[in-house]
Every structure is written in C-alpha cells, then in structure tokens.
Amino acid sequence: MLFPPTSDDDIDTMDFSKIYDTIQANQMPPTTVPPEIGIFRELSICVADVNINCDVIRGIGLAEKPLLSLIDNERKNSASGNESRTLAYDLITPWSACEQVGIGLGTTTKAALEPSPLTPSERVILFLHGGSYVLGNPIAYREPVGHLAHYTSLRTFVIDYRLAPQHPFPAQLHDALIGFNFLLAQGFTPQNIVLAGDSAGGHLCLDLMLLLRHAGNGQHKFAGLMLISPLPSLTLHGDSLASNGDHDYLVNLPMTSPNMPLRLFYRPGAKYTSDYKQELKDPMLTPINGSLAEFPPTIIQCGTAELLLDDIRKLYNKVKLDNPDTNNVFEEYPEMVHVFHRFLFRPESKQAYEALQTFVQSI
C-alpha cells in the first residue's frame, strides 16, 4: 500500500502532486508483445487534429462542464500557437490478423503497423486499460493485450489516457473520446470497432458508451463490448468487498480515505460530504444508476475471488435487463482474482481468452 488510509482531517495538508509522482514511480512493470504472436508500434495522436463536436456533450450531466472546459482549453492552447498535446497509443498487430487480410505470416510490413484500415471491413479493438485510474499504460499491457489481439485476430489500439490525481475525471473520458474520433478519422466505423477494457478501463468503456449514445448519432453502435473485471461504479456496496478481502490482491481502502484511488480520480481534495456522495451516484460515475439500453453485444468476465464480484454481477444484470434482445455473456471463473487474465501461466487465463475469441466470432 503506497499510502496508509487517512481521513478528511488531513486533506488540507495533502500534496496531490506528490501523491501522483509517487504513484507513477511505482508504475506497473513493463511487458512486451511476445514476438511469436505479433508486433506492435508506439504512435501518437495530435489532439489538435481531432475534431470533437461539443454539442453532443451538452446535457450529459456531471461530466458536461469539466469535459467542455478540457476541450476548450485544448483549443485555446492550439489557437495561441503553443505546441499541441499528443496522446500516445500502442497499435498491436497479431500475426493472426495479418493472415486474415493476406499480409503474410511473420512479415513485418508498414501497412500492418499503420492506423488506417487494412481492408474496408476490418474490425479492430479499442482497448482502455485498467489501474484504478491512477496506474497503467500501454507498455504495461503489451503482453496481456497482445494475447487478446492474438486470440481475437484483431489489431488493437491501446490508449495512454491521462491519470489521476494530476488529471482527474473526466480527463480520461476526454482522451477515450479523442482515441475513438481518431479511429473514425482513419476510416473505421463504429460497427467495426470492438470496445474493450479491464478494471477501471471497463468503467471508462461504460462512460464512453453513455457519452456516445447521448450524442444520438449512432456512434455508440459498436460491434461489441468486452469488459474484463470491470469497475462497475464509484459507489461499491457488494458483500464481496468484505468476503473476498483475504483472497483478492486489490486493497479495499474505505471511501472515507482521501487516498482511496476512486477519490483521487473524482475531485481529489474534496471532502466526503453528503453532496459528494450524491455526486457519485451520477450515471457517469455509477452507470447502473442510468439506462444501459442500446448496448452492443456484451461479454463480462470476472473471478469469484474478486472484491468487485457482487457489483460486477449487478452490472451484468443491468446490461441484460436493459438489452433483453442482445447477445450478452457473463462468465465467472472459480477462485480467480481481479483481472486474472494477466496471469498467463494459469489455465483459466487461456480459457478466458478463448471465450473472448468465441464471443468476437459470434458478433
């Protein structure tokens, strides 16, 4: 545990910049795409080149004002002649995808590592990584996402979104939206994009879905949605938070602690008042409090030893209730912990990737 639990009495003396630096100094270890399954390339998006229609954001609720402010600040920075911010991402290309489009097994070609579609109907994955919104990056995810790309035979874009507490909500949603609009500008259609994420990245997928559905122009109609041990909400109440406390590697810090990652994510430094608690119920923070209708075919995977198990079950039940005519899949893996997919030596990890492969083939 990087920081011991504190109370709101300590907020005024907390240095959130130092907290951010300390967390980043203890980042997830780097990994790489196994060369036998694929290749990857580090790329970046010039944020100023990606157009976002602000009209589609208005009325989205709690995220509206800060999201519009972030977009406005980007535009002002560009207009002033300052160097535009870049958003890094990894493009992971499995050999299995190369075979499907006729590039050739084991052949490193320029086309395979360019962000434009290899064929007019090419499907790809837009992946949003986990890490409680304070950790994680594409480098740490190259190995597990490489396996996801390999099993699904889909090239995968992994967005390096900004992290809290230096960049609190909704900076992550802003970056996810930039990544999505960038793919559209390259020639991909929503119907050929599979949206995927693990842990906090799963929560971010839900936020992006809600935002795009709110836009009302059909851009939320993804080919599918894959949620791996998703963070269901910022208001967690499941019994598994206590019952699985001795099994999962996640630390169940109380929300009363301002060091709790979810409080570092949403308005770090704000006290845990009744107003704050009410804000956490907003659908952009707790998606099951809103409608999840019009979701694409969805698969949710988790382990029965997870702290988040009960709340993930609630999320799936809400997805199923709001989308009764959609192909929805829920899988619980006995005795597995949070995002067990990262433990590639486990047979359950292989089984989970194979199930994701089957799901992609079915949509």
Side-chain angles (χ1 to χ4, degrees):
M1 187 185 304
L2 290 178
F3 303 100
T6 57
S7 71
D8 280 359
D9 293 337
D10 304 308
I11 282 181
D12 292 338
T13 61
M14 292 175 67
D15 186 340
F16 288 95
S17 294
K18 183 177 181 180
I19 289 174
Y20 174 84
D21 291 341
T22 302
I23 293 174
Q24 296 315 305
N26 291 271
Q27 259 290 359
M28 296 178 177
T31 64
T32 191
V33 178
E36 67 273 15
I37 68 173
I39 51 180
F40 70 91
R41 182 183 176 192
E42 296 178 76
L43 295 160
S44 63
I45 301 166
C46 178
V47 172
D49 293 340
V50 178
N51 181 51
I52 295 178
N53 181 3
C54 291
D55 290 339
V56 304
I57 295 170
R58 304 188 194 285
I60 192 60
L62 197 69
E64 178 185 345
K65 289 184 178 180
L67 194 53
L68 288 174
S69 177
L70 287 170
I71 295 170
D72 185 55
N73 288 339
E74 297 276 17
R75 290 176 176 173
K76 288 180 179 178
N77 182 67
S78 178
S80 65
N82 295 329
E83 184 176 354
S84 175
R85 180 172 71 93
T86 57
L87 176 61
Y89 70 94
D90 267 8
L91 171 53
I92 297 177
T93 300
W95 299 129
S96 53
C98 293
E99 288 182 288
Q100 286 195 351
V101 298
I103 289 180
L105 181 63
T107 303
T108 304
T109 69
K110 183 178 180 181
L113 293 174
E114 291 293 333
S116 53
L118 296 175
T119 67
S121 60
E122 183 193 8
R123 280 188 171 179
V124 295
I125 295 173
L126 174 59
F127 189 88
L128 304 174
H129 68 76
S132 300
Y133 283 124
V134 298
L135 284 168
N137 54 52
I139 299 174
Y141 271 79
R142 282 174 183 161
E143 185 175 35
V145 176
H147 280 79
L148 174 64
H150 167 69
Y151 276 95
T152 60
S153 299
L154 300 180
R155 292 198 299 162
T156 302
F157 295 78
V158 188
I159 302 298
D160 191 14
Y161 61 80
R162 289 167 288 179
L163 298 173
Q166 185 180 42
H167 303 285
F169 171 86
Q172 300 74 20
L173 179 57
H174 182 208
D175 287 347
L177 182 60
I178 290 169
F180 171 72
N181 283 356
F182 172 76
L183 290 184
L184 297 188
Q186 303 313 300
F188 295 100
T189 65
Q191 293 77 17
N192 284 330
I193 298 173
V194 178
L195 184 61
D198 73 306
S199 193
H203 183 272
L204 187 52
C205 285
L206 296 172
D207 269 8
L208 183 60
M209 272 292 308
L210 295 178
L211 179 62
L212 294 176
R213 188 190 64 187
H214 175 78
N217 53 14
Q219 290 189 344
H220 65 292
K221 296 186 180 298
F222 292 100
L225 178 62
M226 298 191 293
L227 303 176
I228 299 170
S229 296
L231 170 66
S233 71
L234 265 64
T235 55
L236 301 170
H237 300 292
D239 293 340
S240 57
L241 291 171
S243 61
N244 282 341
D246 292 334
H247 307 296
D248 205 353
Y249 60 83
L250 291 183
V251 177
N252 184 23
L253 277 177
M255 284 294 284
T256 52
S257 171
N259 280 332
M260 205 278 196
L262 298 185
R263 286 189 62 187
L264 295 177
F265 165 61
Y266 181 67
R267 294 213 292 127
K271 293 192 175 182
Y272 196 55
T273 62
S274 58
D275 287 342
Y276 185 93
K277 295 176 187 177
Q278 187 63 35
E279 290 173 11
L280 294 181
K281 297 179 182 179
D282 186 276
M284 295 302 288
L285 299 178
T286 301
I288 60 173
N289 287 344
S291 169
L292 302 183
E294 300 182 37
F295 268 38
T298 300
I299 183 170
I300 300 177
Q301 296 179 325
C302 66
T304 62
E306 292 204 39
L307 289 181
L308 304 179
L309 175 62
D310 287 342
D311 288 294
I312 291 175
R313 287 171 174 169
K314 292 176 185 176
L315 172 64
Y316 172 72
N317 288 334
K318 177 66 173 175
V319 170
K320 184 178 179 181
L321 177 66
D322 289 355
N323 302 275
D325 300 321
T326 302
N327 176 28
N328 299 308
V329 180
F330 181 53
E331 297 183 335
E332 294 182 8
Y333 289 76
E335 301 181 7
M336 290 295 100
V337 295
H338 188 63
V339 196
F340 61 93
H341 305 63
R342 296 184 66 90
F343 307 122
L344 297 166
F345 58 89
R346 295 288 309 190
E348 293 88 350
S349 176
K350 183 175 185 292
Q351 293 167 14
Y353 283 118
E354 289 174 340
L356 293 172
Q357 177 185 47
T358 299
F359 172 77
V360 167
Q361 292 171 345
S362 72
I363 57 178

